[in-house]
């Protein structure tokens, strides 16, 4: 005969695990056994390596470099420990080191001795940037992709990325004419990729048109499509001896805007960009992921000077494991969707990866 349990009667407490049983080699029954155990695939370094969803290879990396006119020795950049303004000779040697490490490309910025309102040195075939590009193409042009910065800010005495109108504002369409002239000068050096970083409306279409018209059909365009007016560029101002007073918020993007970054990338793709970029990288991984989702061409991201400086400063204080932090930050940029990462650690990281 069975009896029904009275629901009002309290049940006796479950017996406590028997410590003696555990000591006797009979472990107590665990309270819950997971159905799924993802930790299995994290058990050993070999397993973790085998199932990694994202990888970084040396060929994914581009090394930004600075060449300065009129110096006989490399000039250290105080806010970017380990980074220098090169002479032409040390530029060549550093590029060879990058190529030997397997780095995929180098991006060159010029630091001229003199500046003027329209950035004349930018289109001088013997100016520091164009001369530096020719030196890189001759030295490593068969081993790495040589990229040029196509912008006026390093060359103007006011530090803006374009020419100014009578009211002191950046004149978008007049600046496009200067960009076209720069594009022809840089393409003539043999540079493989022109990095359009000025954030002028229509810059990709204007440069593509003049390159095609002059027969430079193989010269690729890297469009800085979503370039934000970021605080993270601070150390770069020292790196290029920027003359800027004020800010670039009328042409670089508002840091609050995500959809606008997608619009800019879409416009650049329609105008013929071969690669599109998001800059900076770490604070804009959301924008990077969305640009990568819509783009049919490779996507780049620039790990900028401020990101570099923060890690170096924290590592110098012993607050961060330097190597692990470098590896993790670059991996996170790749994970968000970047095919190409510009980073000042490119050569060092490439050596670790090989």
């Amino acid at each position: 005969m069975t009896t029904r349990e009275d629901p009002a009667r309290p049940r006796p407490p479950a017996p406590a695990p028997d410590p003696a049983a555990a000591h006797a080699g009979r472990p107590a029954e665990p309270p819950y056994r997971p159905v799924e155990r993802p930790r299995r695939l994290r058990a050993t370094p070999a397993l973790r390596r085998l199932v990694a969803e994202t990888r970084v290879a040396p060929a994914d990396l581009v090394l930004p470099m600075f060449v300065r006119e009129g110096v006989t020795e490399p000039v250290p950049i105080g806010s970017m420990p380990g980074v220098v303004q090169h002479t032409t000779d040390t530029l060549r040697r550093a590029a060879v080191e990058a190529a030997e490490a397997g780095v995929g490309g180098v991006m060159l910025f010029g630091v001229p001795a003199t500046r003027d309102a329209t950035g004349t040195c930018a289109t001088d075939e013997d100016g520091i940037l164009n001369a530096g590009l020719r030196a890189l193409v001759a030295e490593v042009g068969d081993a790495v992709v040589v990229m040029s910065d196509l912008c006026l800010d390093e060359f103007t005495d006011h530090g803006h990325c374009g020419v100014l109108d009578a009211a002191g504002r950046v004149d978008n369409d007049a600046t496009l004419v200067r960009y076209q002239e720069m594009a022809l000068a840089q393409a003539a050096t043999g540079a493989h990729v022109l990095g359009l970083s000025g954030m002028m409306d229509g810059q990709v279409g204007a440069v593509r048109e003049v390159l095609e018209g002059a027969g430079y059909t193989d010269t690729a365009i890297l469009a800085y499509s979503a370039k934000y007016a970021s605080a993270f560029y601070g150390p770069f101002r020292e790196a290029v001896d920027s003359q800027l007073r004020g800010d670039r918020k009328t042409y670089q993007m508002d840091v609050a805007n995500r959809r606008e970054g997608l619009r800019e990338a879409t416009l650049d793709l329609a105008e013929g960009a071969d690669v599109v970029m998001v800059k900076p990288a770490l604070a804009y991984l959301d924008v990077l992921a969305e640009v990568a989702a819509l783009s049919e061409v490779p996507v780049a991201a620039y790990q900028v000077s401020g990101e570099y400086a923060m890690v170096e400063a924290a590592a110098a204080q012993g607050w961060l494991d330097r190597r692990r932090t470098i590896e993790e930050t670059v991996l996170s940029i790749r994970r968000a969707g970047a095919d190409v990462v510009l980073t000042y650690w490119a050569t060092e990281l490439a050596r670790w990866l090989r």
Side-chain angles (χ1 to χ4, degrees):
M1 176 179 175
T2 60
T3 59
R4 276 193 162 175
E5 184 178 22
D6 183 354
R9 178 186 295 176
R11 295 184 178 183
D18 181 1
H23 285 299
R26 300 190 303 278
E29 187 71 18
Y32 176 73
R33 290 187 178 276
V35 176
E36 299 286 345
R37 294 188 184 272
R39 286 182 55 189
R40 289 192 188 102
L41 297 181
R42 304 173 198 150
T44 67
L47 260 176
R48 293 192 295 272
R49 185 170 59 248
L50 179 68
V51 301
E53 298 175 22
T54 307
R55 304 177 195 278
V56 179
D60 303 327
L61 307 175
V62 172
L63 176 67
M65 308 178 78
F66 305 96
V67 61
R68 179 172 175 175
E69 185 177 9
V71 297
T72 57
E73 297 289 338
V75 179
I77 300 168
S79 55
M80 299 175 67
V83 181
V84 301
Q85 296 169 330
H86 285 285
T87 69
T88 302
D89 287 340
T90 65
L91 178 74
R92 286 174 176 268
R93 291 199 291 271
V96 169
E97 291 175 2
E100 290 174 345
V103 168
V106 293
M107 168 69 78
L108 188 62
F109 298 86
V111 185
T114 59
R115 298 173 169 87
D116 59 27
T118 60
T120 301
C121 184
T123 45
D124 181 351
E125 66 177 18
D126 295 318
I128 187 61
L129 178 58
N130 294 321
L133 288 169
R134 283 196 300 274
L136 288 179
V137 171
E139 192 72 40
V140 296
D142 293 332
V144 301
V145 177
V146 176
M147 304 181 179
S148 62
D149 178 57
L150 198 159
C151 193
L152 284 171
D153 59 319
E154 297 104 296
F155 303 99
T156 56
D157 55 12
H158 46 73
H160 277 290
C161 297
V163 296
L164 305 183
D165 63 17
R169 300 168 299 194
V170 175
D171 186 326
N172 190 96
D173 295 1
T175 298
L176 295 183
V177 175
R178 290 293 289 134
Y179 285 1
Q180 289 180 318
E181 293 166 350
M182 287 183 71
L184 292 176
Q186 292 180 0
T189 70
H192 307 126
V193 178
L194 310 187
L196 278 58
S197 61
M199 287 300 289
M200 295 297 121
D201 294 341
Q203 63 184 12
V204 173
V207 169
R208 173 59 67 205
E209 179 181 83
V210 74
L211 290 175
E212 293 288 323
Y216 292 112
T217 56
D218 290 335
T219 304
I221 292 176
L222 164 59
Y224 287 52
S225 299
K227 181 180 180 181
Y228 287 83
S230 172
F232 288 101
Y233 303 145
F236 186 86
R237 305 282 173 84
E238 178 188 356
V240 296
D241 188 25
S242 174
Q243 306 300 299
L244 181 68
R245 300 294 181 268
D247 59 51
R248 300 186 174 114
K249 292 182 179 179
T250 63
Y251 45 100
Q252 293 179 355
M253 285 182 51
D254 189 329
V255 300
N257 294 353
R258 175 184 56 82
R259 291 193 303 273
E260 187 181 11
L262 303 182
R263 181 188 184 197
E264 289 278 11
T266 301
L267 289 169
D268 286 348
L269 289 168
E271 291 178 18
D274 299 290
V275 184
V276 293
M277 180 190 283
V278 175
K279 179 183 180 182
L282 291 177
Y284 299 90
L285 294 179
D286 57 330
V287 179
L288 173 58
E290 295 202 39
V291 169
L294 70 84
S295 177
E296 295 181 350
V297 304
V299 176
Y302 198 143
Q303 189 174 39
V304 299
S305 60
E307 299 170 61
Y308 175 92
M310 288 193 303
V311 172
E312 290 290 349
Q317 293 293 324
W319 297 336
L320 292 174
D321 181 313
R322 181 176 179 275
R323 175 167 174 170
R324 286 186 61 198
T325 305
I326 292 169
E327 292 174 334
E328 183 175 338
T329 55
V330 174
L331 186 68
S332 73
I333 297 165
R334 288 276 290 120
R335 189 184 65 239
D339 303 290
V340 177
V341 180
L342 282 75
T343 175
Y344 298 98
W345 291 302
T347 300
E348 185 176 17
L349 178 55
R351 288 171 176 156
W352 294 341
L353 293 169
R354 297 191 81 179

